[in-house]
Amino acid sequence: MRITQGMLSNNMLRNLTSSYSKMDTLMDQVSTGKKINRPSDDPVIAMKGMGYRTELKQIEQYKRNTSEVHNWMDNTDSALDKATQTMQKLRELAVQASNDTYDASERENIMNEVTQLKEHMMDIANTSVNGKYIFNGTDTETPPVNEDGEFEPSSTSPVLIDVAGGTKLQANVNPEDVFGNDLFANIDSFIADLESNDQEAIEGNISSLQGGIDNIINARADLGARMNRLELVENRLSEQEIVATSTMAENEDVDYEKAITELITQESLHRAALSAGSKIIQPSLIDFLR
């Protein structure tokens, strides 16, 4: 096979172009810190990277959802705490008013305080957070206590929020479990007995008010159990986020030591090719004529 000057020139140019391409790839890796900068560089790495990013986006959404659940639960727990304190105060007043040393005027003063405490309980039942009534099931736009002062929740359905793949947590409590079972009716009965100065009937209100306290405490205990589970879910999401981020970095991030070494090696090879090429290619007739 006859090797011509043109063949030598073409081969050298082709090899130099390939060398420039390799250096460009290595320079991109060093400057961006990524193994690939376009899907065509390595489709396998690109596809895996898309999967890891999708997983991270899902985890981020679940973490936002857990924040929403926290908002519901924290405000609900605070409201139940105030409701418990209010009911305990009502019970204390019932015990106080059942004392046979109290006369009608003193019981009337207690009645006025009980009336205000009932209004306070209604305000608690109508607790609204970010424009949502937390004690009316999924119908968060309607207050459970109507304009006539009656507790009539339009919904008792649980508010379920996705906090992980295939996992939903109930963010609210059943309003009937807290304010149902004739809680406000029992308070009204207490007020009526105070107004009529019926000591025996007043004493009978103590057990019904205690029943209301027990219902609120039970609802709060159930809420507390779900809050504990939410913390476990949050810990698991944080661990998944760390693992997914680490795996994505391992898949995409460049090994700087290796990339810099390969770049320096490629630059040395490129200079050697330029030097050798300049010596191998024979001078042209024009060079002789100068």
Side-chain angles (χ1 to χ4, degrees):
M1 178 179 179
R2 181 170 176 270
I3 304 299
T4 65
Q5 182 72 19
M7 293 174 63
L8 289 175
S9 300
N10 290 335
N11 285 336
M12 187 187 75
L13 290 174
R14 184 170 59 255
N15 291 331
L16 287 176
T17 301
S18 176
S19 179
Y20 277 124
S21 177
K22 290 179 181 179
M23 284 195 295
D24 179 62
T25 299
L26 291 169
M27 284 294 294
D28 285 344
Q29 290 180 354
V30 172
S31 60
T32 63
K34 298 296 182 181
K35 292 179 182 178
I36 63 172
N37 291 286
R38 59 187 69 86
S40 59
D41 291 342
D42 193 324
V44 174
I45 291 179
M47 290 299 296
K48 287 184 178 180
M50 291 174 62
Y52 296 140
R53 280 183 170 76
T54 299
E55 183 178 355
L56 278 174
K57 289 296 182 182
Q58 289 177 340
I59 293 174
E60 290 173 4
Q61 181 59 57
Y62 288 140
K63 292 182 76 172
R64 286 193 290 269
N65 290 355
T66 58
S67 296
E68 177 69 14
V69 177
H70 257 305
N71 186 42
W72 272 83
M73 289 185 171
D74 290 344
N75 283 283
T76 301
D77 185 62
S78 177
L80 293 181
D81 179 53
K82 299 299 184 292
T84 303
Q85 294 177 19
T86 303
M87 290 301 297
Q88 288 173 338
K89 180 61 177 178
L90 287 169
R91 186 184 181 283
E92 290 174 5
L93 291 174
V95 173
Q96 183 178 344
S98 65
N99 193 322
D100 55 8
T101 61
Y102 274 60
D103 56 24
S105 61
E106 291 173 318
R107 290 191 173 110
E108 183 178 358
N109 292 333
I110 293 176
M111 181 190 70
N112 293 333
E113 183 175 359
V114 170
T115 300
Q116 292 301 312
L117 290 174
K118 178 193 174 185
E119 294 294 327
H120 182 55
M121 283 295 291
M122 288 183 174
D123 291 339
I124 294 174
N126 272 347
T127 298
S128 175
V129 179
N130 294 330
K132 298 179 180 179
Y133 293 97
I134 62 177
F135 291 113
N136 199 34
T138 54
D139 186 8
T140 58
E141 297 182 357
T142 305
V145 177
N146 58 31
E147 295 178 354
D148 297 327
E150 299 175 345
F151 178 71
E152 293 182 348
S154 56
S155 172
T156 58
S157 301
V159 176
L160 301 175
I161 298 179
D162 287 310
V163 294
T167 302
K168 293 184 178 182
L169 275 184
Q170 181 179 342
N172 67 331
V173 297
N174 190 324
E176 289 289 352
D177 293 342
V178 180
F179 303 102
N181 299 318
D182 301 324
L183 183 142
F184 289 106
N186 292 335
I187 298 176
D188 287 336
S189 176
F190 181 30
I191 294 174
D193 294 338
L194 288 169
E195 186 176 16
S196 62
N197 195 30
D198 188 341
Q199 178 189 350
E200 184 176 349
I202 291 173
E203 187 174 356
N205 286 288
I206 296 175
S207 61
S208 62
L209 293 173
Q210 181 61 50
I213 295 173
D214 293 340
N215 290 336
I216 296 174
I217 290 175
N218 290 336
R220 194 176 180 189
D222 178 69
L223 176 65
R226 282 185 273 124
M227 292 176 74
N228 291 336
R229 184 184 177 192
L230 179 62
E231 290 183 5
L232 295 176
V233 171
E234 286 181 314
N235 292 336
R236 184 163 57 116
L237 287 174
S238 296
E239 291 175 357
Q240 288 177 339
E241 184 177 28
I242 292 172
V243 172
T245 302
S246 175
T247 305
M248 186 175 69
E250 184 178 350
N251 178 65
E252 296 181 357
D253 290 357
V254 70
D255 183 345
Y256 275 104
E257 292 82 357
K258 180 180 177 182
I260 291 173
T261 301
E262 290 180 350
L263 178 59
I264 294 173
T265 302
Q266 188 60 40
E267 286 177 342
S268 298
L269 292 174
H270 186 73
R271 289 194 185 97
L274 288 173
S275 176
S278 64
K279 294 177 181 179
I280 293 174
I281 296 178
Q282 298 176 4
S284 66
L285 180 60
I286 301 300
D287 293 319
F288 288 109
L289 293 177
R290 287 177 179 173

